[in-house]
């Protein structure tokens, strides 16, 4: 039992490195894993009787266009990145870069890693000029 708990803690910690949150979903959109950071960011989502990517994007008020980009990447089953804005609990909006990564084994699962979107630095925004 302790070995399994240790392996789970190690797994969860490794997935969270440099990410705001990490999810694993089945190809049908059902969420099978939510990391602790996700749970902290969206505690009200945990109260949902069903946990799917569709419900998350609707509850988070993600735009239709951004949601379709995410669904398309999931359906295609290839590595992709999508930038989108999602509303967290407390009406706080987060601009996120979502890495969509198919898992080869076992097949049929996809890892979604979200990290905070940071604007590219240009000479204008480094000096504060408009």
């Amino acid at each position: 039992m302790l070995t399994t708990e240790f392996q789970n803690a190690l797994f969860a910690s490794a997935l969270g490195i440099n990410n705001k949150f990490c999810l694993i979903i089945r190809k049908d959109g059902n969420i099978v894993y939510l990391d602790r950071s996700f749970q902290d960011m969206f505690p009200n989502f945990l109260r949902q009787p069903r946990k799917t990517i569709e419900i998350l994007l609707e509850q988070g008020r993600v735009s239709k266009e951004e949601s379709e980009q995410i669904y398309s990447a999931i359906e295609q089953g290839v590595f992709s990145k999508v930038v989108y804005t999602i509303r967290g609990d407390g009406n706080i909006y987060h601009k996120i870069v979502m890495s969509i990564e198919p898992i080869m084994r076992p097949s049929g699962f996809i890892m979604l890693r979200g990290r905070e979107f940071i604007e590219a630095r240009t000479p204008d925004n480094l000096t504060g000029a408009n």
Side-chain angles (χ1 to χ4, degrees):
M1 182 76 139
L2 290 175
T3 302
T4 302
E5 288 178 8
F6 174 76
Q7 288 173 338
N8 287 341
L10 185 63
F11 169 72
S13 179
L15 288 177
I17 294 174
N18 298 324
N19 295 303
K20 192 156 184 73
F21 61 82
C22 182
L23 306 171
I24 296 177
I25 65 169
R26 285 196 309 245
K27 188 120 177 152
D28 65 5
N30 285 301
I31 298 172
V32 297
Y33 171 79
L34 308 162
D35 72 355
R36 183 77 208 145
S37 298
F38 179 90
Q39 295 172 35
D40 292 342
M41 194 170 167
F42 302 102
N44 289 332
F45 180 75
L46 299 176
R47 296 186 188 106
Q48 297 292 321
R50 288 187 21 191
K51 292 168 186 62
T52 67
I53 192 69
E54 181 180 13
I55 293 169
L56 172 64
L57 297 177
E58 285 176 13
Q59 188 176 5
R61 297 185 183 164
V62 175
S63 75
K64 183 178 178 180
E65 296 80 20
E66 292 170 339
S67 293
E68 287 176 1
Q69 288 178 340
I70 293 169
Y71 296 143
S72 175
I74 290 169
E75 288 173 14
Q76 291 175 18
V78 295
F79 178 84
S80 184
K81 287 189 179 188
V82 176
V83 176
Y84 67 101
T85 303
I86 189 166
R87 180 181 60 103
D89 289 351
N91 278 335
I92 298 169
Y93 283 84
H94 306 271
K95 192 155 190 172
I96 301 290
V97 176
M98 176 83 76
S99 295
I100 301 165
E101 307 168 32
I103 298 172
M104 295 300 134
R105 275 175 136 171
S107 64
F109 292 88
I110 300 155
M111 183 167 18
L112 306 174
R113 294 193 225 205
R115 62 181 170 77
E116 205 71 45
F117 178 76
I118 299 170
E119 297 288 335
R121 294 182 182 208
T122 63
D124 288 343
N125 68 17
L126 288 175
T127 62
N130 290 333

Short mmCIF file of all heavy atoms in Angstrom, two decimals, residues 25 28-31 45 50-62 67 70-71 74:
data_model
loop_
_atom_site.label_atom_id
_atom_site.label_comp_id
_atom_site.label_asym_id
_atom_site.label_seq_id
_atom_site.Cartn_x
_atom_site.Cartn_y
_atom_site.Cartn_z
N ILE A 25 -7.57 12.71 -19.80
CA ILE A 25 -8.93 12.41 -20.24
C ILE A 25 -8.91 11.19 -21.15
O ILE A 25 -7.88 10.86 -21.73
CB ILE A 25 -9.58 13.60 -20.98
CG1 ILE A 25 -8.84 13.91 -22.29
CG2 ILE A 25 -9.65 14.83 -20.09
CD1 ILE A 25 -9.57 14.89 -23.19
N ASP A 28 -13.10 10.00 -25.24
CA ASP A 28 -14.51 10.43 -25.24
C ASP A 28 -14.75 11.70 -24.44
O ASP A 28 -15.87 12.19 -24.36
CB ASP A 28 -15.42 9.30 -24.75
CG ASP A 28 -15.19 8.93 -23.29
OD1 ASP A 28 -14.39 9.58 -22.59
OD2 ASP A 28 -15.83 7.95 -22.84
N GLY A 29 -13.69 12.27 -23.81
CA GLY A 29 -13.81 13.52 -23.09
C GLY A 29 -14.00 13.39 -21.59
O GLY A 29 -13.96 14.39 -20.87
N ASN A 30 -14.18 12.18 -21.09
CA ASN A 30 -14.31 11.98 -19.64
C ASN A 30 -12.96 12.16 -18.96
O ASN A 30 -11.95 11.61 -19.40
CB ASN A 30 -14.87 10.59 -19.32
CG ASN A 30 -16.35 10.52 -19.61
OD1 ASN A 30 -17.13 11.27 -19.05
ND2 ASN A 30 -16.73 9.62 -20.50
N ILE A 31 -12.95 12.94 -17.90
CA ILE A 31 -11.73 13.22 -17.16
C ILE A 31 -11.48 12.07 -16.18
O ILE A 31 -12.35 11.74 -15.38
CB ILE A 31 -11.83 14.57 -16.42
CG1 ILE A 31 -12.01 15.71 -17.44
CG2 ILE A 31 -10.59 14.80 -15.55
CD1 ILE A 31 -12.33 17.06 -16.82
N PHE A 45 -15.88 22.77 -9.75
CA PHE A 45 -16.00 21.74 -10.79
C PHE A 45 -16.02 20.35 -10.16
O PHE A 45 -16.67 19.44 -10.67
CB PHE A 45 -14.84 21.86 -11.78
CG PHE A 45 -14.88 20.84 -12.88
CD1 PHE A 45 -15.79 20.97 -13.92
CD2 PHE A 45 -14.03 19.75 -12.87
CE1 PHE A 45 -15.85 20.02 -14.94
CE2 PHE A 45 -14.08 18.81 -13.88
CZ PHE A 45 -14.99 18.94 -14.92
N ARG A 50 -20.74 14.56 -13.12
CA ARG A 50 -19.93 14.04 -14.24
C ARG A 50 -18.81 15.02 -14.48
O ARG A 50 -19.01 16.23 -14.42
CB ARG A 50 -20.78 13.92 -15.50
CG ARG A 50 -21.78 12.81 -15.47
CD ARG A 50 -22.45 12.65 -16.81
NE ARG A 50 -21.58 13.26 -17.82
CZ ARG A 50 -21.92 13.51 -19.07
NH1 ARG A 50 -23.08 13.19 -19.50
NH2 ARG A 50 -21.10 14.06 -19.92
N LYS A 51 -17.66 14.51 -14.79
CA LYS A 51 -16.51 15.38 -15.04
C LYS A 51 -16.01 15.11 -16.45
O LYS A 51 -15.37 14.09 -16.71
CB LYS A 51 -15.43 15.13 -14.00
CG LYS A 51 -15.87 15.59 -12.61
CD LYS A 51 -14.96 15.11 -11.54
CE LYS A 51 -15.47 15.46 -10.17
NZ LYS A 51 -16.75 14.88 -9.83
N THR A 52 -16.33 16.04 -17.35
CA THR A 52 -15.90 15.93 -18.74
C THR A 52 -15.23 17.23 -19.16
O THR A 52 -15.45 18.28 -18.56
CB THR A 52 -17.09 15.66 -19.69
OG1 THR A 52 -17.93 16.82 -19.73
CG2 THR A 52 -17.90 14.44 -19.26
N ILE A 53 -14.44 17.14 -20.22
CA ILE A 53 -13.79 18.34 -20.74
C ILE A 53 -14.85 19.33 -21.25
O ILE A 53 -14.70 20.54 -21.10
CB ILE A 53 -12.74 17.99 -21.83
CG1 ILE A 53 -11.86 19.19 -22.16
CG2 ILE A 53 -13.38 17.42 -23.06
CD1 ILE A 53 -10.93 19.62 -21.08
N GLU A 54 -15.94 18.82 -21.80
CA GLU A 54 -17.01 19.69 -22.29
C GLU A 54 -17.63 20.50 -21.15
O GLU A 54 -17.81 21.71 -21.28
CB GLU A 54 -18.07 18.84 -22.98
CG GLU A 54 -19.21 19.67 -23.55
CD GLU A 54 -20.28 18.81 -24.23
OE1 GLU A 54 -20.28 17.58 -24.06
OE2 GLU A 54 -21.10 19.42 -24.92
N ILE A 55 -17.93 19.86 -20.04
CA ILE A 55 -18.51 20.56 -18.89
C ILE A 55 -17.52 21.58 -18.35
O ILE A 55 -17.90 22.71 -18.01
CB ILE A 55 -18.96 19.56 -17.81
CG1 ILE A 55 -20.13 18.72 -18.31
CG2 ILE A 55 -19.33 20.28 -16.51
CD1 ILE A 55 -20.50 17.53 -17.44
N LEU A 56 -16.24 21.21 -18.28
CA LEU A 56 -15.22 22.14 -17.80
C LEU A 56 -15.16 23.40 -18.66
O LEU A 56 -15.17 24.51 -18.15
CB LEU A 56 -13.85 21.47 -17.77
CG LEU A 56 -12.68 22.39 -17.45
CD1 LEU A 56 -12.79 22.96 -16.05
CD2 LEU A 56 -11.36 21.67 -17.65
N LEU A 57 -15.13 23.23 -19.98
CA LEU A 57 -15.03 24.39 -20.87
C LEU A 57 -16.29 25.25 -20.82
O LEU A 57 -16.20 26.47 -20.88
CB LEU A 57 -14.72 23.92 -22.29
CG LEU A 57 -13.38 23.19 -22.47
CD1 LEU A 57 -13.21 22.72 -23.91
CD2 LEU A 57 -12.21 24.05 -22.03
N GLU A 58 -17.45 24.61 -20.69
CA GLU A 58 -18.70 25.38 -20.56
C GLU A 58 -18.73 26.15 -19.25
O GLU A 58 -19.03 27.33 -19.23
CB GLU A 58 -19.91 24.44 -20.63
CG GLU A 58 -20.22 23.93 -22.02
CD GLU A 58 -21.36 22.92 -22.03
OE1 GLU A 58 -22.09 22.79 -21.01
OE2 GLU A 58 -21.52 22.25 -23.06
N GLN A 59 -18.43 25.47 -18.16
CA GLN A 59 -18.43 26.11 -16.85
C GLN A 59 -17.38 27.22 -16.78
O GLN A 59 -17.59 28.23 -16.13
CB GLN A 59 -18.18 25.07 -15.76
CG GLN A 59 -18.36 25.59 -14.36
CD GLN A 59 -18.19 24.49 -13.32
OE1 GLN A 59 -17.85 23.35 -13.63
NE2 GLN A 59 -18.43 24.83 -12.08
N GLY A 60 -16.26 27.02 -17.48
CA GLY A 60 -15.18 28.01 -17.49
C GLY A 60 -15.38 29.12 -18.49
O GLY A 60 -14.52 29.97 -18.65
N ARG A 61 -16.52 29.10 -19.18
CA ARG A 61 -16.86 30.13 -20.16
C ARG A 61 -15.78 30.32 -21.23
O ARG A 61 -15.46 31.45 -21.63
CB ARG A 61 -17.18 31.45 -19.49
CG ARG A 61 -18.39 31.38 -18.60
CD ARG A 61 -18.76 32.70 -18.03
NE ARG A 61 -19.89 32.55 -17.13
CZ ARG A 61 -20.28 33.44 -16.26
NH1 ARG A 61 -19.61 34.57 -16.15
NH2 ARG A 61 -21.31 33.22 -15.49
N VAL A 62 -15.24 29.21 -21.70
CA VAL A 62 -14.27 29.25 -22.80
C VAL A 62 -15.05 29.52 -24.08
O VAL A 62 -16.12 28.95 -24.30
CB VAL A 62 -13.49 27.92 -22.88
CG1 VAL A 62 -12.57 27.90 -24.08
CG2 VAL A 62 -12.70 27.69 -21.60
N SER A 67 -12.86 26.51 -27.70
CA SER A 67 -13.30 25.15 -27.36
C SER A 67 -13.19 24.23 -28.57
O SER A 67 -12.73 23.09 -28.45
CB SER A 67 -14.75 25.16 -26.86
OG SER A 67 -14.86 25.82 -25.64
N ILE A 70 -9.69 23.07 -29.12
CA ILE A 70 -9.33 22.01 -28.16
C ILE A 70 -9.94 20.69 -28.58
O ILE A 70 -9.26 19.66 -28.65
CB ILE A 70 -9.74 22.41 -26.73
CG1 ILE A 70 -8.91 23.61 -26.27
CG2 ILE A 70 -9.60 21.23 -25.77
CD1 ILE A 70 -9.39 24.28 -25.00
N TYR A 71 -11.25 20.69 -28.91
CA TYR A 71 -11.93 19.45 -29.33
C TYR A 71 -11.28 18.87 -30.58
O TYR A 71 -11.09 17.67 -30.70
CB TYR A 71 -13.42 19.69 -29.61
CG TYR A 71 -14.23 20.11 -28.41
CD1 TYR A 71 -15.25 21.04 -28.55
CD2 TYR A 71 -13.99 19.60 -27.14
CE1 TYR A 71 -16.01 21.44 -27.46
CE2 TYR A 71 -14.75 20.00 -26.05
CZ TYR A 71 -15.76 20.92 -26.21
OH TYR A 71 -16.51 21.31 -25.14
N ILE A 74 -8.05 17.13 -29.74
CA ILE A 74 -8.33 15.87 -29.05
C ILE A 74 -8.78 14.81 -30.05
O ILE A 74 -8.30 13.68 -30.03
CB ILE A 74 -9.37 16.08 -27.93
CG1 ILE A 74 -8.77 16.91 -26.79
CG2 ILE A 74 -9.91 14.74 -27.42
CD1 ILE A 74 -9.77 17.40 -25.77
#
